[in-house]
């Protein structure tokens, strides 16, 4: 049977997760938030008292990753964000996490969100979305999300941290953040979650008519 993979990429807090979860539920497909793999890897390195930008420590942590690590409750917040971005720029870490992502998508089809799903993990995915929004809007969403979790933060700091992480994600040589040539770009600035979902679902159904 042909591959039923929906690849959703884009910068931080663009609304990928919300959209991916809703698409997966509506279409009856498994969902993988691939950012969790990098977050859990970064967290393991921090737990070991090592530096997330140390390639040997980060690769060992990626290879030792267990499914239960993805359910940890300490994978969000500034320290986890920075550790995730640091390990994500190391090619050996990305190589260690590649097969898990491919197997997850191939087994039963899936919706995966991340930075390189449509470019590296599944370049042959039949549906690819590149979800984005302005930096100010993405910073506002992340700030609200942190506040709802009881993590008070300063909007200007959240925006500066996000701009820095986006720049690093886009500039790194290993799987930099970019839209695949054949991706459908969806700018969610000024769109509510329902409008984003409807637009994306319409695109996916056109690309994969059997769904
Ligand atoms: O939503 P947010 O961008 O804050 O976080 P995320 O999607 O969980 O990604 C966390 C970090 O992991 C990003 O800054 C990327 O550096 C990295 N990442 C990646 O390199 N490749 C992926 N497929 C997913 C995440």
């Amino acid at each position: 049977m042909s591959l039923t993979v929906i690849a959703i990429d884009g910068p931080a807090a663009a609304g990928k997760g919300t959209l991916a979860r809703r698409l997966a539920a509506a279409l009856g497909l498994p969902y993988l938030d691939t950012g969790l793999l990098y977050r859990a890897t970064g967290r393991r390195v921090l737990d070991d008292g090592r530096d997330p930008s140390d390639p040997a420590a980060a690769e060992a942590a990626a290879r030792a990753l267990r499914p239960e690590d993805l359910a940890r409750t300490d994978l969000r917040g500034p320290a986890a964000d920075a550790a995730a971005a640091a390990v994500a720029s190391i090619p050996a870490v990305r190589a260690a996490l590649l097969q898990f992502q491919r197997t997850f998508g191939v087994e039963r089809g899936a919706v995966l969100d991340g930075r390189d799903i449509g470019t590296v993990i599944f370049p042959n995915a039949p549906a690819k979305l590149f979800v984005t929004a302005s930096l100010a809007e993405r910073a506002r969403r992340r700030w609200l999300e942190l506040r709802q979790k009881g993590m008070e933060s300063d909007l200007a700091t959240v925006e500066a941290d996000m701009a820095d992480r986006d720049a690093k994600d886009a500039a790194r040589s290993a799987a930099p953040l970019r839209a695949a040539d054949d991706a459908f770009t969806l700018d969610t600035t000024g769109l509510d979650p329902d409008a984003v979902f409807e637009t994306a679902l319409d695109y996916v159904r056109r690309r994969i008519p059997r769904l």
Side-chain angles (χ1 to χ4, degrees):
M1 216 188 91
S2 53
L3 185 70
T4 309
V5 164
I6 301 169
I8 304 189
D9 292 304
K16 302 183 299 282
T18 307
L19 173 61
R21 220 170 270 113
R22 281 186 70 172
L23 283 175
L27 300 169
L29 291 170
Y31 164 57
L32 180 63
D33 170 358
T34 65
L36 289 180
L37 301 171
Y38 299 91
R39 290 177 175 278
T41 300
R43 184 45 82 185
R44 279 189 88 115
V45 180
L46 294 178
D47 288 350
D48 292 343
R50 306 285 297 272
D51 176 358
S53 53
D54 170 354
E59 182 184 355
R63 294 203 178 279
L65 214 61
R66 294 286 164 268
E68 53 271 27
D69 291 325
L70 306 185
R72 287 177 65 151
T73 54
D74 54 359
L75 300 180
R76 309 256 163 213
D81 289 353
V87 301
S89 70
I90 298 168
V93 168
R94 307 199 72 86
L97 299 176
L98 183 113
Q99 200 51 50
F100 175 81
Q101 297 173 76
R102 288 209 175 134
T103 302
F104 187 95
V106 166
E107 277 177 346
R108 289 183 292 140
V111 180
L112 293 94
D113 85 56
R115 299 290 188 291
D116 63 342
I117 310 304
T119 51
V120 175
I121 309 296
F122 284 108
N124 56 341
K128 299 181 184 178
L129 286 137
F130 191 78
V131 180
T132 185
S134 69
L135 175 65
E137 172 64 13
R138 294 186 291 111
R140 192 187 64 83
R141 290 179 192 167
R142 180 53 46 89
W143 176 78
L144 278 174
E145 206 180 292
L146 288 170
R147 213 173 59 161
Q148 277 158 8
K149 288 190 181 139
M151 300 166 86
E152 286 300 330
S153 54
D154 166 55
L155 180 58
T157 309
V158 172
E159 184 167 324
D161 285 353
M162 193 174 277
D164 181 52
R165 194 152 58 92
D166 284 348
K168 286 199 179 109
D169 283 350
R172 70 183 180 211
S173 52
L177 169 69
R178 70 170 183 84
D181 293 338
D182 53 349
F184 170 58
T185 296
L186 185 50
D187 187 333
T188 68
T189 314
L191 290 182
D192 65 31
D194 286 347
V196 173
F197 172 68
E198 293 303 336
T199 308
L201 187 61
D202 188 57
Y203 161 78
V204 169
R205 289 214 158 114
R206 271 186 286 120
R207 297 291 308 165
I208 316 176
R210 67 177 178 280
L211 279 179

